[in-house]
Amino acid sequence: MRPPRPSPPLSASLFNSLIASRARAGRSADALSLLARMLAAGFAPTAFTFAPIISSPSATACCAAQLHPHMLKSGLLHCEPYSGTSLVGFFGRSGRFDEALKVFGEMTVRSVVTWNSLISSFVQFGRSRDALFWFRELVRSGDGLSDGSLVAVLPAIGSPVQVHGLVKKIRMDSFPAVANALLSSYSACGAIQVTEKMFKELVFRDVVSWNTMITGFARSNAPERAFELFLSMKHQGDLPNETTFASVLYACTSMNDLEHGKFIHAKVIKQNLNTSVFVNTSLVNFYATCIGWRDARKLVEEDPQNSPTCWNALISGHSDSDGPTSLVILRDMLRSGIKPNEVSFSASLKDPSLLDLQQIHSLVIRFGHAGNDYVSSGIISSYASHGIVSNALTYGVALDPDSCSVSMNVLAGAYNKARMYQETKELLLHQQDRDTVSWSILITACARNGDCIEAFGFFEQMRILGHRVDNHVFVSLLSICTKNNSLDLGKLIHGLIIKTSPDTYVDNMLLDMYAKCGRIEDCLRVFEEMEHRNIISWTAVISGLGLNGFSHKALAWFKAMEEDGCKPDKVAILAVLSACRHGRLVQEGMKILKNMKADYSIEAEMEHYICAVDMLCKCGYLKEAEVVIRGMPFQPSTAIWRTFLQGCKTYGVTEAQVFS
């Protein structure tokens, strides 16, 4: 009989090796036990002892708290970067930035990986300002930049132009990871032409480069280019992967391109990727959206893995007019032996009937997903959309506000919709960690409730905490400035808006603010600088010109609007009628009123008649005003008679004299 194999002699390196293997396997408790044995045996920890445990996928906050004192006691935080870097990374990934920065400050020896870990953690939690601050500190520190530094910071930058310049300066643009990150960053901020130019200049392209371009075009206004790039990729001998096929299928779906979509399906089968859940999900979505639920359902039934992901795609992509409701597909999913998950329920809650909503709500509770943030937010939103705000509020207030932040935002939106602004404020102020959406809803509630000082106070807090100010916030603040005639505050907000990418809605609010604050020249300048204009933009300027005494200019702008191809609506006509009233342009105003139907296919409403009668009465044309009232196709309102009688009083004319 063979003697038992002798155990290798214990050593620090052996312990480190065993600890690392347990940690990589996700057995951090076993790794900690081995560490205790190692210390008890008198072996001193090395640079490679602590890092694997803290980097383990199963590492907990308790584990990090236990190891931190050992690192300090052993002096490893002061003589090598590996242990401290792992601890900084753990705290950063957990969002515990105070502790991450404390450890970072304790480290006397840092590597570029330490910096990268800190920067990427800030990016992960959307704290772009902090990420950029520490990136600048890294540049100043002299610890050097790596490709990981640039890849980490790029998502935090609105426009990658500055970093691109730095990349060229330090000659790192040939690093594939950096080049691909730049491509992705340009694509993410919508600069697809710049992305394509850079892509053509790349010396080395890999599948990630191709995928970045194909995905960028698939989600752009030119999705057909995604298919062209796919063909170029094949022609140049680069092998597409699952991401490539998913992206080009997305492009075919957005174009509703059946021919090319089926061509891609054939290529998927040829490359033996039809067993991939990721690709199959994209195929199901394509068929459900472009062809019909029957073809999509067939794909789901043929899926060898019977994946819930494919069922979820079927629920998301089905058409109510073409096939069964989401609830029916959920039931079929259950019959096939697949339990719906939170994605299944979230997708089925997009637009259910009230009866389906109640049954889906029951299934959510039955399968234990009532506490899921996204499912709960879908239920609240669906009840609110059906006008049953009481059900939405009853369901929402029972949730844990700290673990259901999305639901709290949706619930706050339901409160706002019900004009319960004080309740909105109370709900959001009880949240410990408010995100950008929470701040936006909170500021909107204050603006609508007339709490102007409070709204600007919350806005300042939002900026200090580094949250990105969105267009909804700007609209709310501009509405306050307009209501209170606060030109100076409006100008400050305008200065902040210029630094962002405002949409047409924000620009229209700026037009309205300047017009109502009496700064018509600023209003016209904003209009001229607008990239996109709509009927509301033209109406705001016409109304502003009339309000500020430029009635002839208002008429000229009304004609310019027509010449520009923008057809007036009833609000625009009311604005120009109001301008005629302010400027006493009776002839011009009456011509517009009489020709509304013939010229613009718009029937005059009570507001148009009131405006016209007021214009006639202000100029002493009382008989003509009475003719207009008598000729209306509906019964005169109290308001129009009040306007008429006020005109009679102004000119000292009695009713008998007018109606004689």
Side-chain angles (χ1 to χ4, degrees), residues 265-316:
H265 191 178
K267 293 293 180 184
V268 166
I269 294 169
K270 187 176 180 181
Q271 203 165 311
N272 201 28
L273 284 174
N274 54 320
T275 56
S276 160
V277 173
F278 186 40
V279 177
N280 264 349
T281 301
S282 299
L283 281 166
V284 169
N285 185 54
F286 164 71
Y287 280 107
T289 305
C290 299
I291 300 177
W293 69 274
R294 288 184 179 82
D295 295 89
R297 175 65 187 268
K298 189 178 177 185
L299 267 177
V300 174
E301 289 171 348
E302 291 172 354
D303 178 20
Q305 300 181 48
N306 196 20
S307 163
T309 311
C310 289
W311 280 100
N312 294 343
L314 184 62
I315 294 169
S316 298

Short mmCIF file of all heavy atoms in Angstrom, two decimals, residues 265-316:
data_model
loop_
_atom_site.label_atom_id
_atom_site.label_comp_id
_atom_site.label_asym_id
_atom_site.label_seq_id
_atom_site.Cartn_x
_atom_site.Cartn_y
_atom_site.Cartn_z
N HIS A 265 -31.29 36.96 -39.97
CA HIS A 265 -31.70 35.71 -39.32
C HIS A 265 -30.98 34.52 -39.96
O HIS A 265 -30.48 33.62 -39.26
CB HIS A 265 -33.22 35.54 -39.43
CG HIS A 265 -33.76 34.43 -38.59
ND1 HIS A 265 -35.11 34.13 -38.51
CD2 HIS A 265 -33.14 33.52 -37.79
CE1 HIS A 265 -35.28 33.12 -37.70
NE2 HIS A 265 -34.11 32.72 -37.26
N ALA A 266 -30.90 34.54 -41.28
CA ALA A 266 -30.20 33.46 -41.98
C ALA A 266 -28.72 33.41 -41.60
O ALA A 266 -28.14 32.34 -41.39
CB ALA A 266 -30.35 33.64 -43.49
N LYS A 267 -28.10 34.58 -41.47
CA LYS A 267 -26.69 34.65 -41.07
C LYS A 267 -26.49 34.14 -39.64
O LYS A 267 -25.48 33.51 -39.32
CB LYS A 267 -26.17 36.09 -41.18
CG LYS A 267 -26.09 36.63 -42.60
CD LYS A 267 -25.05 35.90 -43.41
CE LYS A 267 -24.96 36.43 -44.83
NZ LYS A 267 -24.00 35.65 -45.66
N VAL A 268 -27.46 34.42 -38.79
CA VAL A 268 -27.41 33.93 -37.40
C VAL A 268 -27.40 32.40 -37.38
O VAL A 268 -26.59 31.78 -36.66
CB VAL A 268 -28.63 34.47 -36.60
CG1 VAL A 268 -28.81 33.71 -35.28
CG2 VAL A 268 -28.48 35.96 -36.33
N ILE A 269 -28.28 31.81 -38.18
CA ILE A 269 -28.35 30.34 -38.24
C ILE A 269 -27.05 29.78 -38.81
O ILE A 269 -26.50 28.79 -38.30
CB ILE A 269 -29.56 29.90 -39.10
CG1 ILE A 269 -30.86 30.31 -38.41
CG2 ILE A 269 -29.53 28.39 -39.35
CD1 ILE A 269 -32.10 30.17 -39.26
N LYS A 270 -26.52 30.42 -39.87
CA LYS A 270 -25.29 29.96 -40.50
C LYS A 270 -24.12 29.99 -39.53
O LYS A 270 -23.24 29.11 -39.55
CB LYS A 270 -24.97 30.83 -41.73
CG LYS A 270 -23.80 30.33 -42.55
CD LYS A 270 -23.61 31.17 -43.80
CE LYS A 270 -22.43 30.67 -44.63
NZ LYS A 270 -22.21 31.51 -45.84
N GLN A 271 -24.09 31.01 -38.66
CA GLN A 271 -22.99 31.13 -37.70
C GLN A 271 -23.28 30.37 -36.40
O GLN A 271 -22.53 30.47 -35.43
CB GLN A 271 -22.73 32.62 -37.39
CG GLN A 271 -21.31 32.88 -36.87
CD GLN A 271 -20.96 34.35 -36.91
OE1 GLN A 271 -21.14 35.01 -37.94
NE2 GLN A 271 -20.44 34.87 -35.80
N ASN A 272 -24.39 29.62 -36.40
CA ASN A 272 -24.75 28.77 -35.26
C ASN A 272 -24.95 29.58 -33.98
O ASN A 272 -24.62 29.11 -32.88
CB ASN A 272 -23.69 27.69 -35.04
CG ASN A 272 -24.23 26.50 -34.25
OD1 ASN A 272 -25.43 26.21 -34.32
ND2 ASN A 272 -23.38 25.84 -33.50
N LEU A 273 -25.53 30.78 -34.13
CA LEU A 273 -25.81 31.60 -32.96
C LEU A 273 -27.30 31.61 -32.61
O LEU A 273 -27.73 32.37 -31.75
CB LEU A 273 -25.33 33.04 -33.19
CG LEU A 273 -23.82 33.28 -33.10
CD1 LEU A 273 -23.49 34.71 -33.49
CD2 LEU A 273 -23.31 32.99 -31.69
N ASN A 274 -28.08 30.74 -33.29
CA ASN A 274 -29.51 30.70 -33.03
C ASN A 274 -29.84 30.03 -31.69
O ASN A 274 -31.00 29.99 -31.28
CB ASN A 274 -30.27 30.01 -34.17
CG ASN A 274 -29.72 28.63 -34.48
OD1 ASN A 274 -28.51 28.43 -34.47
ND2 ASN A 274 -30.60 27.68 -34.76
N THR A 275 -28.82 29.52 -31.02
CA THR A 275 -29.03 28.97 -29.69
C THR A 275 -28.73 30.02 -28.61
O THR A 275 -28.92 29.78 -27.43
CB THR A 275 -28.12 27.74 -29.45
OG1 THR A 275 -26.76 28.13 -29.67
CG2 THR A 275 -28.49 26.61 -30.39
N SER A 276 -28.21 31.17 -29.03
CA SER A 276 -27.88 32.24 -28.08
C SER A 276 -29.16 32.95 -27.63
O SER A 276 -29.94 33.43 -28.44
CB SER A 276 -26.94 33.25 -28.74
OG SER A 276 -26.96 34.48 -28.06
N VAL A 277 -29.35 33.03 -26.32
CA VAL A 277 -30.53 33.71 -25.77
C VAL A 277 -30.52 35.19 -26.17
O VAL A 277 -31.56 35.75 -26.52
CB VAL A 277 -30.55 33.57 -24.23
CG1 VAL A 277 -31.66 34.42 -23.63
CG2 VAL A 277 -30.73 32.11 -23.83
N PHE A 278 -29.33 35.80 -26.14
CA PHE A 278 -29.19 37.22 -26.47
C PHE A 278 -29.66 37.49 -27.90
O PHE A 278 -30.44 38.41 -28.16
CB PHE A 278 -27.74 37.63 -26.28
CG PHE A 278 -27.47 39.10 -26.45
CD1 PHE A 278 -28.34 40.05 -25.96
CD2 PHE A 278 -26.34 39.54 -27.11
CE1 PHE A 278 -28.09 41.41 -26.10
CE2 PHE A 278 -26.07 40.89 -27.26
CZ PHE A 278 -26.95 41.82 -26.76
N VAL A 279 -29.19 36.69 -28.85
CA VAL A 279 -29.56 36.88 -30.26
C VAL A 279 -31.02 36.50 -30.48
O VAL A 279 -31.76 37.20 -31.20
CB VAL A 279 -28.63 36.05 -31.17
CG1 VAL A 279 -29.06 36.18 -32.63
CG2 VAL A 279 -27.18 36.49 -31.02
N ASN A 280 -31.45 35.40 -29.87
CA ASN A 280 -32.85 34.97 -30.03
C ASN A 280 -33.82 36.02 -29.52
O ASN A 280 -34.89 36.24 -30.10
CB ASN A 280 -33.09 33.65 -29.29
CG ASN A 280 -32.98 32.46 -30.23
OD1 ASN A 280 -32.92 32.62 -31.44
ND2 ASN A 280 -32.92 31.27 -29.67
N THR A 281 -33.46 36.68 -28.43
CA THR A 281 -34.31 37.74 -27.89
C THR A 281 -34.46 38.87 -28.90
O THR A 281 -35.57 39.40 -29.09
CB THR A 281 -33.70 38.29 -26.58
OG1 THR A 281 -33.58 37.22 -25.64
CG2 THR A 281 -34.57 39.38 -25.99
N SER A 282 -33.36 39.24 -29.56
CA SER A 282 -33.42 40.28 -30.59
C SER A 282 -34.28 39.84 -31.78
O SER A 282 -35.02 40.65 -32.36
CB SER A 282 -32.01 40.62 -31.07
OG SER A 282 -31.23 41.11 -30.01
N LEU A 283 -34.17 38.56 -32.14
CA LEU A 283 -34.98 38.04 -33.24
C LEU A 283 -36.47 38.06 -32.88
O LEU A 283 -37.32 38.43 -33.70
CB LEU A 283 -34.55 36.60 -33.57
CG LEU A 283 -33.28 36.47 -34.42
CD1 LEU A 283 -32.76 35.04 -34.40
CD2 LEU A 283 -33.55 36.90 -35.86
N VAL A 284 -36.79 37.65 -31.65
CA VAL A 284 -38.19 37.66 -31.21
C VAL A 284 -38.74 39.08 -31.26
O VAL A 284 -39.86 39.32 -31.74
CB VAL A 284 -38.31 37.08 -29.78
CG1 VAL A 284 -39.71 37.33 -29.21
CG2 VAL A 284 -38.01 35.59 -29.77
N ASN A 285 -37.95 40.03 -30.79
CA ASN A 285 -38.38 41.43 -30.80
C ASN A 285 -38.60 41.93 -32.23
O ASN A 285 -39.57 42.63 -32.52
CB ASN A 285 -37.33 42.29 -30.09
CG ASN A 285 -37.78 43.73 -29.95
OD1 ASN A 285 -38.85 44.02 -29.44
ND2 ASN A 285 -36.96 44.65 -30.44
N PHE A 286 -37.69 41.51 -33.15
CA PHE A 286 -37.82 41.91 -34.56
C PHE A 286 -39.11 41.36 -35.16
O PHE A 286 -39.90 42.09 -35.76
CB PHE A 286 -36.60 41.41 -35.35
CG PHE A 286 -36.81 41.43 -36.84
CD1 PHE A 286 -36.85 42.63 -37.54
CD2 PHE A 286 -36.98 40.24 -37.55
CE1 PHE A 286 -37.06 42.65 -38.91
CE2 PHE A 286 -37.19 40.25 -38.92
CZ PHE A 286 -37.22 41.46 -39.61
N TYR A 287 -39.34 40.05 -35.00
CA TYR A 287 -40.53 39.44 -35.58
C TYR A 287 -41.81 39.96 -34.94
O TYR A 287 -42.81 40.20 -35.62
CB TYR A 287 -40.46 37.91 -35.45
CG TYR A 287 -39.58 37.27 -36.51
CD1 TYR A 287 -38.33 36.76 -36.21
CD2 TYR A 287 -40.01 37.20 -37.84
CE1 TYR A 287 -37.51 36.20 -37.18
CE2 TYR A 287 -39.22 36.63 -38.82
CZ TYR A 287 -37.96 36.13 -38.49
OH TYR A 287 -37.17 35.58 -39.46
N ALA A 288 -41.80 40.15 -33.62
CA ALA A 288 -42.99 40.64 -32.92
C ALA A 288 -43.35 42.05 -33.37
O ALA A 288 -44.53 42.38 -33.53
CB ALA A 288 -42.76 40.62 -31.41
N THR A 289 -42.34 42.88 -33.62
CA THR A 289 -42.58 44.28 -33.98
C THR A 289 -42.89 44.45 -35.46
O THR A 289 -43.78 45.22 -35.84
CB THR A 289 -41.35 45.15 -33.62
OG1 THR A 289 -41.03 44.96 -32.25
CG2 THR A 289 -41.62 46.62 -33.88
N CYS A 290 -42.17 43.70 -36.31
CA CYS A 290 -42.24 43.95 -37.76
C CYS A 290 -43.16 43.00 -38.52
O CYS A 290 -43.65 43.36 -39.59
CB CYS A 290 -40.84 43.87 -38.37
SG CYS A 290 -39.71 45.09 -37.70
N ILE A 291 -43.34 41.80 -38.02
CA ILE A 291 -44.12 40.82 -38.79
C ILE A 291 -45.41 40.44 -38.06
O ILE A 291 -46.50 40.55 -38.59
CB ILE A 291 -43.28 39.55 -39.09
CG1 ILE A 291 -42.04 39.96 -39.90
CG2 ILE A 291 -44.10 38.52 -39.84
CD1 ILE A 291 -41.09 38.84 -40.19
N GLY A 292 -45.28 40.03 -36.82
CA GLY A 292 -46.48 39.64 -36.08
C GLY A 292 -46.14 38.68 -34.96
O GLY A 292 -45.09 38.03 -34.97
N TRP A 293 -47.03 38.60 -34.00
CA TRP A 293 -46.75 37.80 -32.81
C TRP A 293 -46.68 36.31 -33.12
O TRP A 293 -46.02 35.55 -32.40
CB TRP A 293 -47.80 38.08 -31.73
CG TRP A 293 -49.17 37.57 -32.07
CD1 TRP A 293 -50.13 38.20 -32.78
CD2 TRP A 293 -49.72 36.30 -31.69
NE1 TRP A 293 -51.24 37.43 -32.89
CE2 TRP A 293 -51.03 36.26 -32.22
CE3 TRP A 293 -49.25 35.21 -30.97
CZ2 TRP A 293 -51.86 35.15 -32.05
CZ3 TRP A 293 -50.08 34.11 -30.79
CH2 TRP A 293 -51.37 34.08 -31.32
N ARG A 294 -47.34 35.85 -34.20
CA ARG A 294 -47.33 34.41 -34.50
C ARG A 294 -45.91 33.93 -34.85
O ARG A 294 -45.45 32.90 -34.36
CB ARG A 294 -48.28 34.10 -35.66
CG ARG A 294 -49.74 34.19 -35.28
CD ARG A 294 -50.66 33.80 -36.43
NE ARG A 294 -52.07 33.86 -36.04
CZ ARG A 294 -52.78 34.96 -36.03
NH1 ARG A 294 -52.24 36.12 -36.42
NH2 ARG A 294 -54.05 34.95 -35.66
N ASP A 295 -45.21 34.69 -35.71
CA ASP A 295 -43.83 34.32 -36.07
C ASP A 295 -42.92 34.43 -34.85
O ASP A 295 -42.03 33.59 -34.66
CB ASP A 295 -43.32 35.24 -37.18
CG ASP A 295 -44.08 35.05 -38.48
OD1 ASP A 295 -45.10 35.73 -38.66
OD2 ASP A 295 -43.66 34.22 -39.29
N ALA A 296 -43.13 35.47 -34.06
CA ALA A 296 -42.32 35.63 -32.86
C ALA A 296 -42.59 34.50 -31.88
O ALA A 296 -41.66 33.96 -31.26
CB ALA A 296 -42.64 36.99 -32.22
N ARG A 297 -43.86 34.12 -31.74
CA ARG A 297 -44.24 33.03 -30.83
C ARG A 297 -43.60 31.71 -31.27
O ARG A 297 -43.14 30.91 -30.43
CB ARG A 297 -45.76 32.92 -30.80
CG ARG A 297 -46.31 31.77 -29.99
CD ARG A 297 -45.99 31.93 -28.51
NE ARG A 297 -46.37 30.76 -27.76
CZ ARG A 297 -47.56 30.61 -27.17
NH1 ARG A 297 -48.45 31.58 -27.23
NH2 ARG A 297 -47.84 29.51 -26.50
N LYS A 298 -43.53 31.51 -32.58
CA LYS A 298 -42.90 30.29 -33.10
C LYS A 298 -41.43 30.22 -32.70
O LYS A 298 -40.92 29.16 -32.33
CB LYS A 298 -43.04 30.27 -34.63
CG LYS A 298 -42.61 28.96 -35.27
CD LYS A 298 -42.82 29.00 -36.78
CE LYS A 298 -42.34 27.70 -37.42
NZ LYS A 298 -42.42 27.75 -38.89
N LEU A 299 -40.75 31.37 -32.78
CA LEU A 299 -39.34 31.42 -32.37
C LEU A 299 -39.18 31.09 -30.89
O LEU A 299 -38.26 30.38 -30.49
CB LEU A 299 -38.77 32.82 -32.63
CG LEU A 299 -38.06 33.07 -33.95
CD1 LEU A 299 -37.65 34.54 -34.02
CD2 LEU A 299 -36.83 32.19 -34.10
N VAL A 300 -40.10 31.61 -30.07
CA VAL A 300 -40.04 31.35 -28.63
C VAL A 300 -40.23 29.86 -28.36
O VAL A 300 -39.53 29.26 -27.54
CB VAL A 300 -41.11 32.18 -27.89
CG1 VAL A 300 -41.17 31.80 -26.41
CG2 VAL A 300 -40.82 33.66 -28.01
N GLU A 301 -41.18 29.25 -29.08
CA GLU A 301 -41.45 27.81 -28.88
C GLU A 301 -40.28 26.95 -29.34
O GLU A 301 -40.05 25.86 -28.80
CB GLU A 301 -42.71 27.42 -29.64
CG GLU A 301 -43.99 28.00 -29.01
CD GLU A 301 -45.21 27.80 -29.89
OE1 GLU A 301 -45.03 27.43 -31.08
OE2 GLU A 301 -46.33 28.02 -29.39
N GLU A 302 -39.51 27.44 -30.33
CA GLU A 302 -38.36 26.68 -30.84
C GLU A 302 -37.08 26.92 -30.04
O GLU A 302 -36.08 26.26 -30.26
CB GLU A 302 -38.10 27.06 -32.31
CG GLU A 302 -39.19 26.58 -33.26
CD GLU A 302 -39.02 27.12 -34.67
OE1 GLU A 302 -38.10 27.97 -34.87
OE2 GLU A 302 -39.78 26.72 -35.57
N ASP A 303 -37.13 27.85 -29.11
CA ASP A 303 -35.95 28.16 -28.29
C ASP A 303 -35.60 26.93 -27.44
O ASP A 303 -36.39 26.50 -26.60
CB ASP A 303 -36.26 29.35 -27.37
CG ASP A 303 -35.10 29.69 -26.45
OD1 ASP A 303 -33.96 29.29 -26.75
OD2 ASP A 303 -35.33 30.36 -25.42
N PRO A 304 -34.41 26.35 -27.65
CA PRO A 304 -34.06 25.12 -26.93
C PRO A 304 -33.98 25.32 -25.42
O PRO A 304 -34.16 24.37 -24.66
CB PRO A 304 -32.68 24.75 -27.51
CG PRO A 304 -32.14 26.02 -28.10
CD PRO A 304 -33.33 26.80 -28.53
N GLN A 305 -33.71 26.54 -24.99
CA GLN A 305 -33.56 26.80 -23.55
C GLN A 305 -34.85 27.27 -22.90
O GLN A 305 -34.91 27.40 -21.67
CB GLN A 305 -32.47 27.85 -23.33
CG GLN A 305 -31.11 27.42 -23.86
CD GLN A 305 -30.05 28.47 -23.61
OE1 GLN A 305 -29.93 28.98 -22.51
NE2 GLN A 305 -29.27 28.80 -24.63
N ASN A 306 -35.90 27.48 -23.73
CA ASN A 306 -37.18 27.99 -23.21
C ASN A 306 -36.92 29.15 -22.24
O ASN A 306 -37.38 29.16 -21.09
CB ASN A 306 -37.96 26.87 -22.51
CG ASN A 306 -39.44 27.24 -22.32
OD1 ASN A 306 -39.97 28.12 -22.99
ND2 ASN A 306 -40.09 26.57 -21.38
N SER A 307 -36.18 30.12 -22.73
CA SER A 307 -35.68 31.20 -21.88
C SER A 307 -36.76 32.22 -21.53
O SER A 307 -37.54 32.62 -22.39
CB SER A 307 -34.53 31.92 -22.60
OG SER A 307 -34.28 33.17 -22.03
N PRO A 308 -36.81 32.65 -20.25
CA PRO A 308 -37.76 33.72 -19.89
C PRO A 308 -37.46 35.03 -20.62
O PRO A 308 -38.35 35.84 -20.85
CB PRO A 308 -37.57 33.88 -18.37
CG PRO A 308 -36.27 33.24 -18.05
CD PRO A 308 -36.05 32.19 -19.08
N THR A 309 -36.19 35.22 -21.02
CA THR A 309 -35.81 36.44 -21.73
C THR A 309 -36.54 36.55 -23.06
O THR A 309 -36.98 37.64 -23.45
CB THR A 309 -34.29 36.48 -21.96
OG1 THR A 309 -33.62 36.19 -20.74
CG2 THR A 309 -33.84 37.83 -22.46
N CYS A 310 -36.67 35.42 -23.78
CA CYS A 310 -37.39 35.44 -25.06
C CYS A 310 -38.88 35.70 -24.85
O CYS A 310 -39.51 36.42 -25.63
CB CYS A 310 -37.17 34.12 -25.79
SG CYS A 310 -35.49 33.93 -26.42
N TRP A 311 -39.45 35.10 -23.80
CA TRP A 311 -40.85 35.37 -23.48
C TRP A 311 -41.05 36.86 -23.18
O TRP A 311 -42.03 37.48 -23.59
CB TRP A 311 -41.29 34.52 -22.29
CG TRP A 311 -41.63 33.11 -22.63
CD1 TRP A 311 -40.85 32.01 -22.46
CD2 TRP A 311 -42.85 32.64 -23.21
NE1 TRP A 311 -41.49 30.88 -22.90
CE2 TRP A 311 -42.73 31.23 -23.36
CE3 TRP A 311 -44.03 33.25 -23.61
CZ2 TRP A 311 -43.75 30.45 -23.89
CZ3 TRP A 311 -45.05 32.47 -24.15
CH2 TRP A 311 -44.90 31.09 -24.29
N ASN A 312 -40.09 37.42 -22.44
CA ASN A 312 -40.18 38.85 -22.10
C ASN A 312 -40.14 39.72 -23.35
O ASN A 312 -40.84 40.74 -23.44
CB ASN A 312 -39.04 39.25 -21.15
CG ASN A 312 -39.16 38.57 -19.80
OD1 ASN A 312 -40.22 38.06 -19.44
ND2 ASN A 312 -38.08 38.57 -19.05
N ALA A 313 -39.30 39.32 -24.33
CA ALA A 313 -39.23 40.06 -25.60
C ALA A 313 -40.56 39.97 -26.34
O ALA A 313 -41.00 40.94 -26.97
CB ALA A 313 -38.10 39.53 -26.46
N LEU A 314 -41.20 38.79 -26.26
CA LEU A 314 -42.51 38.61 -26.90
C LEU A 314 -43.56 39.52 -26.26
O LEU A 314 -44.36 40.15 -26.96
CB LEU A 314 -42.94 37.14 -26.78
CG LEU A 314 -44.24 36.74 -27.49
CD1 LEU A 314 -44.13 36.96 -28.98
CD2 LEU A 314 -44.58 35.29 -27.19
N ILE A 315 -43.52 39.63 -24.94
CA ILE A 315 -44.47 40.51 -24.23
C ILE A 315 -44.21 41.97 -24.61
O ILE A 315 -45.14 42.73 -24.88
CB ILE A 315 -44.34 40.33 -22.70
CG1 ILE A 315 -44.78 38.92 -22.29
CG2 ILE A 315 -45.17 41.37 -21.96
CD1 ILE A 315 -44.44 38.56 -20.86
N SER A 316 -42.93 42.36 -24.66
CA SER A 316 -42.57 43.75 -24.95
C SER A 316 -42.91 44.13 -26.38
O SER A 316 -43.33 45.27 -26.65
CB SER A 316 -41.08 43.98 -24.73
OG SER A 316 -40.73 43.76 -23.39
#
